[in-house]
């Protein structure tokens, strides 16, 4: 009896533990697209608007329009950002994904490496009107160089310096800083009486990476060498990351509390006149949602090193941000998927959707529309066209975001706690991040 | 009745008896079959797949055809246990943090839950309301509750610092709760807040079964409250406590939701519990093979601890029975 009881206990325990540790997946053959279900498509859209309902309200009528024109019904699912990458991975492993989906453009190379996405060769581009309809820098962030892109650009964004006009007026400052030296001197004038000059999202790994990438370019460095090997802890990269964290640690123009921000709290501080500047991409709609009115804020290019002006090379001042549209290789409606991508990247839809989301159309013709000539969007568009660079298009990009983003997060935590941020401590964090990549 | 007929009747009776016996023997297995099948599908097959994955070099490059990923033998395990390299060193640190966290959390959950259950044994005005209130943390959806704690622990706008610093003046300046070393304590507070009502519920149920006469007799013999708790209450709820502690241990050691909602996919070092560490290895840095190896190591550790625990507690019970 005791033996039976022990065996039963062991089975129950094993089951409990199995539930905690089990993982699985599946695999199907090397599928190519087919047309076995020509009348329907499933589409995973990333959450672009204030919430999922808003996205459904925006995309719903457009999908209806597509159905009326083609007879193809599109089943829409809006996926929150936090879940999107894992959902895509699960779909890749199981072979049970949507036909068409949105991806963050920085993930393009990593997802391309899985082999699950349809390559955009000349023939596929031809089916949607040709590759040269798109801005080249946006195509550059759609897959590894030297390979056919894994996706097509849908919404483009870039970073800009947003400044709070009221706070600038009160501090007697006439114009936003154009260089980092000016940023520090201006910032120190603004940082007083519980108010701070610059907002940061110290616990947001992606945001950390975007800022570190730009500063790395401005120091003439890169996080990967020509062969795609990580070079995180080179002296120039150490200097770049230290410069960013020093805005809190040494220059004291970022509030220590920003070290724990990761849910866009810095935008709220900006709208509440607690923070005078933020480095952000397409922030206008968020400011309005927080109660600001058009004209309460100004937009300028992100600062560059002293004596320079925004441009390529050392004066790169943004990453090419945006959303791409991809097709799962094993779709059972390849023709319909291509028609749907063509529809979503048509001039008409590009104007409509990008206006709604406050982004820039990556389609050249749509970009010329007057709606994208506002002060905000002109800065973003010029940056995108002249001084933005895509993040490293290497298969390990998603690991890079986590490893270096975490290193910067830990350095911000040190700065906030008053611990010294030195060249050695920055190098140690970046070296550890690099070792983690070599698994 | 002829002898031939009698023989036929005997044979028929024996067949009926045999069929009846067979039915009786087979019935429990038939009833268990659906559960066993589901167990196989939901737990055991994925677990075997997980073990197979741990022997492969499984990254995003081969995730689409994971069953054909290169076989690497014990390489993933070597990497996970090599404490001189960053991966192994981090895993060890995370494991030790988790052990410390689990001991404290389970201990506090048990202590608070048991104390509250004992306290609620007395009848007093408002007992029902209080009992319902105690169960609120257990009834709330984990995500909503933990995210609310996340807001409360924010340095500049959170309620915790507002009370401790602004209202009570207990700290010189606003404290970081979600960064640095304090993140461990923030996580522990949320874990205990979330876990103790379960201990309370289980112990309270066990207390209902203790005959009141035992307490009355003890009181007549002059035993005080503490003696009654030590000599009657605790021994009586012993078997329930053993299961309770085991379940709390397993839940706490594997808790993923609390740190994930509180800190996101990259927890501060001080609060880097092993579940989130393995998640990061598997689903953030996309080293599924290494993540699977870590999972298997965790499974083996938990199996070992559980087996030892069951052995020790069943021996204790046998002695008590004797």
């Amino acid at each position: 009896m005791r033996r039976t009881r022990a065996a039963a206990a062991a089975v129950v325990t094993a089951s409990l533990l199995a539930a905690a540790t089990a993982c699985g997946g599946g695999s199907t053959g090397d599928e190519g697209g087919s047309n076995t279900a020509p009348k329907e498509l499933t589409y995973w859209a990333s959450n672009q608007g204030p919430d999922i309902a808003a996205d459904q309200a925006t995309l719903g009528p457009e999908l209806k329009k597509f159905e009326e024109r083609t007879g193809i019904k599109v089943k829409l699912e809006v996926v929150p950002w936090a879940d999107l990458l894992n959902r895509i991975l699960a779909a890749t492993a199981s072979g049970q994904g949507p036909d068409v989906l949105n991806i963050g453009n920085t993930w393009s190379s990593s997802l391309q490496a899985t082999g699950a996405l349809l390559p955009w060769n000349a023939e596929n581009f031809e089916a949607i009107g040709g590759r040269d309809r798109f801005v080249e820098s946006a195509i550059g962030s759609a897959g590894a160089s030297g390979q056919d892109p894994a996706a097509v650009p849908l919404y483009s964004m870039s970073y800009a310096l947003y400044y709070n006009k009221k706070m600038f007026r009160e501090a007697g400052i006439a114009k936003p800083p154009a260089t980092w030296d000016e940023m520090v001197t201006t910032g120190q004038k603004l940082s007083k009486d519980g108010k701070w000059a610059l907002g940061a999202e110290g616990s947001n790994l992606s945001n950390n990476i975007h800022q570190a990438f730009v500063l790395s370019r401005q120091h003439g460095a890169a996080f990967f060498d020509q062969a795609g090997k990580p070079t995180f802890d080179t002296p120039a990269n150490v200097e770049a990351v230290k410069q960013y964290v020093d805005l809190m640690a040494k220059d004291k123009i970022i509030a220590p509390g920003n070290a724990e921000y990761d849910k866009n709290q810095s935008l709220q501080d900006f709208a509440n006149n607690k923070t005078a500047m933020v480095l952000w991409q397409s922030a206008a709609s968020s400011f309005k949602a927080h109660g600001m009115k058009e004209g309460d804020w100004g937009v300028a290019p992100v600062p560059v090193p002293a004596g320079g002006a925004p441009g390529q090379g050392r004066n790169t001042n943004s990453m090419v941000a945006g959303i791409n549209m991809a097709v799962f290789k094993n779709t059972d409606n390849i023709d319909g998927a291509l028609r749907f991508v063509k529809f979503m990247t048509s001039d008409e839809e590009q104007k409509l959707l990008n206006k709604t989301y406050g982004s820039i159309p990556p389609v050249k013709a749509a970009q010329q529309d007057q709606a994208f000539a506002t002060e905000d969007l002109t800065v973003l568009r010029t940056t995108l066209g002249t001084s933005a660079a895509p993040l490293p298009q290497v298969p390990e990009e998603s690991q890079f975001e986590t490893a270096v983003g975490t290193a910067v997060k830990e350095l911000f935590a040190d700065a906030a706690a008053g611990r010294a941020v030195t060249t050695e401590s920055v190098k140690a964090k970046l070296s550890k991040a690099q070792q983690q990549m070599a698994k | 009745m002829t002898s031939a007929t009698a023989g036929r009747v005997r044979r028929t009776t024996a067949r009926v008896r045999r069929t009846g016996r067979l039915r009786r023997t087979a019935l429990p297995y038939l009833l268990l079959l659906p559960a066993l099948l589901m167990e196989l599908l939901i737990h055991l097959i994925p677990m075997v797949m997980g073990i197979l994955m741990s022997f492969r070099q499984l990254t995003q490059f081969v995730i689409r055809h994971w069953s054909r990923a290169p076989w690497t033998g014990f390489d993933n395990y070597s990497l996970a246990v090599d404490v001189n390299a960053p991966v192994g060193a981090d895993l060890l640190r995370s494991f030790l943090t988790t052990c410390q966290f689990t001991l404290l959390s389970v201990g506090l959950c048990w202590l608070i839950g048991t104390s509250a259950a004992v306290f609620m044994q007395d009848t007093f005005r408002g007992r029902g309301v209080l009992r319902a209130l105690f169960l609120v943390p257990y009834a709330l959806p984990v995500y909503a509750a933990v995210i609310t704690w996340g807001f409360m622990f924010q340095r500049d706008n959170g309620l915790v610092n507002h009370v401790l610093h602004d209202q009570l003046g207990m700290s010189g300046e606003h404290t970081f709760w979600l960064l640095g070393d304090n993140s461990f304590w923030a996580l522990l507070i949320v874990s205990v807040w979330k876990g103790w009502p379960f201990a309370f519920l289980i112990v309270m149920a066990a207390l209902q079964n203790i005959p009141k006469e035992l307490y009355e007799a003890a009181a007549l013999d002059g035993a005080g409250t503490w003696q009654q708790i030590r000599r009657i209450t605790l021994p009586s709820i012993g078997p329930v406590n053993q299961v309770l502690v085991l379940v709390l241990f397993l839940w706490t050691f594997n808790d993923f939701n609390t740190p994930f909602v509180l800190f996101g996919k990259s927890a501060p070092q001080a609060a880097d519990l092993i579940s989130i560490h393995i998640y990061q290895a598997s689903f953030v840095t996309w080293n599924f093979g290494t993540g699977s190896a870590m999972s298997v190591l965790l499974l083996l550790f938990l199996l070992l601890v559980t087996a030892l625990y069951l052995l020790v507690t069943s021996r204790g019970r046998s002695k008590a029975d004797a």
Side-chain angles (χ1 to χ4, degrees):
Chain A
M1 188 62 196
R2 263 182 65 182
R3 199 172 291 171
T4 318
R5 207 165 54 199
V11 169
V12 171
T13 312
S15 315
L16 274 173
L17 299 179
T21 53
C23 51
S27 177
T28 51
D30 193 21
E31 317 83 356
S34 71
N35 283 311
T36 53
K39 289 291 166 199
E40 65 171 35
L41 284 170
T42 48
Y43 173 41
W44 285 358
S46 53
N47 180 198
Q48 296 297 127
D51 52 45
I52 285 173
D55 280 318
Q56 283 166 334
T58 302
L59 294 171
E62 303 316 302
L63 302 185
K64 195 84 200 150
K65 204 190 291 175
F66 176 71
E67 188 181 350
E68 281 161 9
R69 286 182 196 172
T70 61
I72 300 171
K73 185 173 173 53
V74 181
K75 285 193 276 180
L76 168 72
E77 187 180 350
V78 181
V79 185
W81 264 110
D83 301 336
L84 186 57
L85 190 55
N86 276 346
R87 291 279 302 274
I88 298 172
L89 272 184
T92 303
S94 66
Q96 305 298 314
D99 300 292
V100 184
L101 72 161
N102 286 3
I103 61 174
N105 69 351
T106 63
W107 307 334
S108 297
S109 292
S110 294
L111 291 174
Q112 184 178 39
T114 67
L117 304 181
L118 183 79
W120 286 85
N121 53 23
E123 187 192 342
N124 288 333
F125 262 121
E126 209 47 53
I128 62 166
R131 180 180 169 134
D132 54 7
R133 289 182 63 240
F134 296 90
V135 174
E136 196 49 44
S137 65
I139 292 276
S141 64
S145 59
Q147 291 183 38
D148 288 327
V152 172
L154 187 64
Y155 313 126
S156 287
M157 290 169 248
S158 70
Y159 274 85
L161 173 72
Y162 290 84
Y163 60 100
N164 182 316
K165 286 185 177 170
K166 182 170 177 262
M167 289 181 74
F168 267 58
R169 238 185 348 259
E170 283 170 1
I173 299 163
K175 62 181 180 60
T179 67
W180 288 107
D181 290 345
E182 284 175 29
M183 168 67 98
V184 174
T185 49
T186 306
Q188 283 165 347
K189 282 184 208 158
L190 286 156
S191 302
K192 57 185 177 191
D193 306 328
K195 298 186 174 187
W196 294 87
L198 184 64
E201 297 276 322
S203 287
N204 180 328
L205 309 189
S206 301
N207 194 282
N208 285 344
I209 276 299
H210 299 164
Q211 311 295 350
F213 167 73
V214 166
L215 286 166
S216 163
R217 294 281 292 220
Q218 294 187 357
H219 280 78
F223 282 104
F224 289 88
D225 65 16
Q226 291 294 324
K229 289 246 158 53
T231 54
F232 300 168
D233 59 357
T234 59
N237 277 334
V238 170
E239 271 309 300
V241 169
K242 187 168 184 298
Q243 184 191 343
Y244 183 49
V245 180
D246 267 349
L247 294 171
M248 178 190 286
K250 188 167 94 108
D251 307 320
K252 314 274 185 204
I253 63 169
I254 298 177
N258 284 204
E260 66 181 19
Y261 282 11
D262 68 347
K263 295 181 180 69
N264 305 348
Q265 295 98 319
S266 55
L267 297 186
Q268 221 161 340
D269 286 353
F270 183 91
N272 294 337
N273 302 318
K274 285 185 187 169
T275 300
M277 293 178 276
V278 283
L279 301 167
W280 210 264
Q281 30 173 323
S282 307
S285 56
S286 298
F287 292 151
K288 285 180 197 161
H290 289 308
M292 289 184 99
K293 291 189 201 73
E294 199 93 46
D296 287 349
W297 70 87
V299 190
V302 173
V304 289
Q312 285 298 323
R314 279 187 180 250
N315 288 337
T316 297
N317 62 354
S318 176
M319 43 85 72
V320 177
I323 305 297
N324 291 346
M325 200 170 190
V327 174
F328 251 87
K329 208 191 245 177
N330 64 353
T331 174
D332 48 15
N333 186 3
I334 181 79
D335 289 347
L338 291 174
R339 287 175 80 180
F340 184 50
V341 176
K342 184 178 183 183
F343 170 78
M344 293 289 278
T345 54
S346 66
D347 294 356
E348 176 198 0
E349 288 303 309
Q350 278 288 293
K351 285 180 205 168
L352 194 146
L353 293 171
N354 281 284
K355 265 183 224 172
T356 308
Y357 291 131
S359 48
I360 309 283
V363 170
K364 290 175 195 165
Q367 219 176 73
Q368 303 312 314
D369 190 277
Q370 277 307 302
F372 304 104
T374 60
E375 185 198 356
D376 286 34
L377 293 180
T378 303
V379 173
L380 298 182
R381 203 180 53 195
T382 310
T383 300
L384 209 52
T386 59
S387 59
L391 278 174
Q393 294 296 305
V394 292
E396 297 83 5
E397 201 283 332
S398 63
Q399 291 98 317
F400 156 67
E401 280 196 24
T402 308
V404 177
T406 303
V408 177
K409 174 183 168 176
E410 288 171 2
L411 288 164
F412 266 124
D414 284 346
R419 285 192 285 268
V421 174
T422 61
T423 303
E424 290 71 35
S425 70
V426 176
K427 184 174 166 51
K429 296 273 187 211
L430 291 177
S431 299
K432 189 177 146 198
Q434 184 165 322
Q435 286 167 339
Q436 283 171 329
M437 295 288 292
K439 275 179 265 186
Chain B
M1 193 188 286
T2 62
S3 62
T5 314
R8 260 203 313 276
V9 169
R10 268 201 305 277
R11 280 197 298 277
T12 311
T13 316
R15 203 164 53 234
V16 169
R17 272 201 203 120
R18 265 203 311 276
T19 315
R21 250 202 325 270
L22 194 68
R23 272 195 191 142
R24 272 201 303 280
T25 321
L27 187 64
Y29 293 100
L30 280 173
L31 292 174
L32 276 174
L33 197 62
L36 282 173
L37 277 176
M38 293 313 282
E39 183 63 24
L40 198 69
L41 283 173
I42 296 168
H43 287 150
L44 295 178
I45 291 176
M47 188 170 73
V48 170
M49 284 175 169
I51 293 170
L52 289 177
M53 283 179 179
S54 72
F55 292 104
R56 293 179 185 276
Q57 192 183 6
L58 196 59
T59 61
Q60 75 263 38
F61 304 109
V62 285
I63 187 67
R64 235 172 121 232
H65 305 294
W66 61 265
S67 56
R68 282 184 256 150
W71 189 265
T72 57
F74 284 93
D75 283 5
N76 287 323
Y77 289 91
S78 310
L79 193 68
V81 297
D82 181 4
V83 293
N84 295 316
V87 177
D90 275 1
L91 183 68
L92 178 66
R93 183 184 40 72
S94 168
F95 172 74
L96 295 175
T97 305
T98 312
C99 288
Q100 198 184 353
F101 173 79
T102 306
L103 282 176
L104 281 169
S105 178
V106 172
L108 286 169
C109 283
W110 180 84
L111 191 68
I112 298 171
T114 306
S115 308
V118 169
F119 170 68
M120 296 297 276
Q121 284 307 101
D122 291 335
T123 40
F124 56 87
R125 218 179 147 87
R127 186 172 74 149
V129 178
L130 206 57
R131 191 183 285 179
L133 277 179
F134 281 1
L135 293 175
V136 166
Y138 188 58
L140 282 177
V142 176
Y143 188 87
V146 178
I147 211 158
T148 307
W149 274 104
F151 287 128
M152 293 203 300
F153 276 126
Q154 278 191 357
R155 178 184 184 260
D156 293 333
N157 310 311
L159 184 72
V160 174
N161 276 348
H162 180 63
V163 172
L164 291 182
H165 177 264
D166 303 342
Q167 295 189 326
L168 302 175
M170 283 172 67
S171 54
E173 57 178 13
H174 280 183
T175 311
F176 279 107
W177 291 102
L178 300 174
L179 289 176
D181 295 344
N182 285 337
S183 55
F184 179 87
W185 303 109
L187 185 60
L188 185 68
I189 289 168
V190 181
S191 173
V192 173
W193 175 86
K194 197 165 64 72
W196 78 265
F198 178 71
F200 166 69
L201 198 67
I202 298 296
V203 174
M204 198 169 60
L207 288 176
Q208 309 289 326
N209 291 329
I210 306 175
K212 283 211 168 40
E213 295 76 26
L214 281 178
Y215 290 103
E216 286 163 9
L220 277 176
D221 290 341
T225 310
W226 173 238
Q227 270 184 315
Q228 286 179 24
I229 291 174
R230 206 159 68 90
R231 301 283 184 193
I232 303 171
T233 312
L234 291 179
S236 303
I237 60 170
V240 171
N241 256 336
Q242 283 163 10
V243 177
L244 171 66
V245 169
L246 180 63
V247 170
L248 279 178
F249 166 77
L250 291 174
W251 284 355
T252 312
F253 210 96
N254 280 319
D255 188 11
F256 174 78
N257 293 334
T258 316
F260 188 77
V261 178
L262 207 54
F263 304 115
K265 59 187 177 184
S266 160
Q269 269 197 10
D272 183 27
L273 297 192
I274 202 148
S275 56
I276 204 147
H277 194 86
I278 294 175
Y279 167 82
Q280 198 171 339
S282 306
F283 297 101
V284 178
T285 54
W286 296 13
N287 284 296
F288 303 99
T290 315
S292 298
M294 290 175 178
S295 290
V296 173
L297 290 174
L298 175 66
L299 172 71
L300 291 175
F301 170 75
L302 291 178
L303 270 175
L304 185 73
V305 172
T306 308
L308 280 175
Y309 181 83
L310 288 175
L311 193 73
V312 170
T313 51
S314 67
R315 268 194 193 156
R317 234 190 350 256
S318 303
K319 272 186 194 164
D321 291 345

